[in-house]
Amino acid sequence: MKLSRPARITLGVAAVVGFAVIYVPLFLVLINSLNPDRSSSWPPPGITFDWWTAAWGSAGARHALVTSLKAGVGATAAALVLGTLIAFAIQRFRFFGREALSFVVVLPIALPGIVTGVALNTAFRTVLEPFGVGLGLFTVVVGHATFCVVVVYNNVIARLRRMPGSYEEAAMDLGANTFRAFVDVTFPLVRSALVAGGMLAFALSFDEIIVTTFTAGPNTQTLPIWIFSNMARPQQAPVVNVVAAVLVLLSVIPIYIAQRMSSDTASGGRI
Amino acid sequence: MSNTEPAAGHTARRLAGTLHRRPRLQLSLLLTAPLTWLILAYLGSLTALFMSAFWTTDTFTSNVVKVWSLDNFTTLLSKDVYQQVALRSVGVALAVTAICVVIAFPVAFFTARIASPRWRPLLVVAILTPLWASYLVKAYAWRLILAEGGLLDWLLSPLGLDGPGFGLVATILVLTYLWLPYMILPIHTGLEQIPDSVLDASSDLGARSGRTFRSVVMPILLPSIAAGSVFTFSLSLGDYIAVQIVGGKTQLIGNLIYSNITLDLPLAAALGTVPVVIIVLYLLAVRRTGALSSL
């Protein structure tokens, strides 16, 4: 499209403003973690690294971090298995309920988290508690995996769609059996999509707060829950600032890896 | 050859042969685990939730009474508070979606069609990275901006103005910020996929850029916008955390569900059906545009 020079400049300026709006709040969090004053008034009176030292020693934050990592690993593992299986089934076969299945996979992420959360909470309490399985890390993993499946599924199916079926046929013509063709041909081709999907699933689980609130029970605290419950306490405010700043810096890693591993991952986010 | 092959390899080969001849068996092996999970853990839970919407709560003991009734739904429809909150929530979700489209469009247009091709992948990463910054951190950042004496008040004070403070406006602002990347990305992808030849053809036929935009770009882009709107709309409709952080006294449907869960689960469940019904209708409508496959 031939755009006039003023139009291009206007769009450029609008884009710059848009990017500024995206990034300014994140930088503000970083600056505020160095604010010696406990209040959030602007501008900060000076710079201090004291809160970073305090956060490093905070047992609550560390414990929550470990819980988040465990939940993320568990949910990612389950999502990788389930998402890959569904992607293969939907891409390679035509069967009754195929459309419905692809709809149900998207549903946990398309429905508001609070609905998923309350539903899982009700189910866990009525079905699992009589068996002595209380709300805790296990139920958090189940809850997270349910909506992480879709991320893996999307990455794998996007890769399968672009991968010609003839590769596998060729392998089989050359005498490879189903397993052999999978291990030597298909798997290497989908591996990077799996890594990308896994990274995104992990990041999604790591950040999730609503479903976690309803599936965690009183004794399990993930990092988002820890932040949320300490946000309102003035005494904890500086440590929360630092943890928030660390999360901003860390969030770059999974997205960087996912981008490098897979170009299908242009769709990010919850999908 | 087959005599020297280890027994395990032999079994594997026979199994592979069986699987190859029987695709139905392959399919059922693929689907057993995911279907069990989705049906038991997810659809089962949703069903349990909807069933409990038809139960009631004993007002004295707060125990759930498992007798089928439509009481909760009658309450929802008859009390003005619930209607107001539901309407406000839908209004907020629509406003957030609309503002997201307006902001996302120039950003996506710039990254997909104006920026030099060398910079485009970098710009996409620049959009994606904040998407993965923690939800809470982003809401928290806005708490710092909107707080009394915070950044916005400081910026506006030379003009003799105050920021909006915490409330409904702040809620819409923060939700827009949180979900904006979900709108930018699909629009960017949609714009990127429009072949140059189509746009050239339009201008060869005498269309100015405004006309090309209306008659060529927009129709192609509609599924992308619809896909983005699924997220901005649904995520806004169900949110209650951002509302708690910057909403002041604002109540959205998520807050009502949350505050009823411990005392009156059946009512909370009935309230929960409202966003579900709205979103399923929305998804079914959007599916016609082909948006779900570009999610």
Side-chain angles (χ1 to χ4, degrees), chain A residues 209-231:
Chain A
I209 175 160
I210 297 182
V211 173
T212 320
T213 310
F214 293 106
T215 50
N219 298 321
T220 313
Q221 231 180 13
T222 61
L223 202 55
I225 297 213
W226 182 86
I227 296 178
F228 191 50
S229 58
N230 283 287
M231 222 181 233

Side-chain angles (χ1 to χ4, degrees), chain B residues 125-150:
Chain B
V125 174
I127 300 169
L128 280 171
T129 308
L131 189 65
W132 289 104
S134 158
Y135 166 103
L136 271 180
V137 171
K138 286 189 270 186
Y140 178 69
W142 278 92
R143 200 179 159 81
L144 298 175
I145 293 176
L146 294 163
E148 208 173 309

Side-chain angles (χ1 to χ4, degrees), chain A residues 21-23 28 40-42 86 108 110 114 118 123 146 177 200 203 207 214 224 228 241 251 255 259 266 269-271, chain B residues 13 16 34 37 42 45 126 128 130-132 134-136 140 144-145 149 151 154 177 182 185 231 234 244 254 261 295:
Chain A
V21 170
I22 292 175
Y23 276 94
L28 190 67
S40 53
S41 60
W42 188 264
I86 300 175
I114 190 160
V118 179
T146 303
N177 64 38
L200 297 178
D207 186 31
F214 293 106
F228 191 50
N241 288 341
S251 62
I255 192 61
Q259 276 289 323
R270 303 177 74 95
I271 278 290
Chain B
R13 238 179 32 171
W37 184 291
Y42 187 61
S45 306
L128 280 171
L131 189 65
W132 289 104
S134 158
Y135 166 103
L136 271 180
Y140 178 69
L144 298 175
I145 293 176
L151 181 65
W154 181 76
Y177 179 76
Y182 296 103
L185 274 170
F231 292 109
S234 157
Q244 278 185 26
I261 276 166
L295 279 181

Side-chain angles (χ1 to χ4, degrees), chain A residues 99-109 146, chain B residues 38-39 42-43:
Chain A
E99 287 271 305
L101 178 60
S102 64
F103 191 72
V104 171
V105 174
V106 181
L107 212 53
I109 221 116
T146 303
Chain B
L38 281 174
I39 291 173
Y42 187 61
L43 295 179

Side-chain angles (χ1 to χ4, degrees), chain B residues 47-77:
Chain B
T47 316
L49 179 70
F50 294 136
M51 274 168 59
S52 65
F54 292 94
W55 295 337
T56 45
T57 300
D58 188 306
T59 37
F60 290 107
T61 60
S62 288
N63 285 335
V64 174
V65 182
K66 295 184 179 175
V67 179
W68 204 258
S69 88
L70 286 172
D71 288 1
N72 294 315
F73 291 100
T74 345
T75 317
L76 286 193
L77 291 174

Side-chain angles (χ1 to χ4, degrees), chain A residues 124-178:
Chain A
F124 288 151
R125 283 202 331 225
T126 45
V127 179
L128 287 181
E129 262 173 25
F131 291 101
V133 182
L135 296 180
L137 189 59
F138 173 71
T139 48
V140 171
V141 170
V142 174
H144 284 194
T146 303
F147 60 78
C148 285
V149 168
V150 66
V151 188
V152 176
Y153 163 80
N154 272 323
N155 271 276
V156 175
I157 203 160
R159 179 62 53 85
L160 288 178
R161 281 196 190 119
R162 293 194 320 190
M163 198 174 89
S166 51
Y167 289 177
E168 255 179 65
E169 281 169 22
M172 289 178 147
D173 285 347
L174 292 169
N177 64 38
T178 312

Side-chain angles (χ1 to χ4, degrees), chain B residues 81-97 168 171-172 175 232-240 243 250-257 271 274-275 278:
Chain B
V81 195
Y82 295 128
Q83 288 174 18
Q84 279 168 15
V85 172
L87 280 177
R88 187 184 304 135
S89 307
V90 173
V92 166
L94 287 175
V96 169
T97 304
L168 189 63
T171 306
I172 294 177
L175 290 176
T232 55
F233 184 80
S234 157
L235 292 168
S236 310
L237 197 60
D239 188 273
Y240 72 96
V243 187
T250 311
Q251 289 267 323
L252 294 187
I253 197 144
N255 304 81
L256 277 191
I257 300 174
L271 282 164
V274 178
I278 295 175

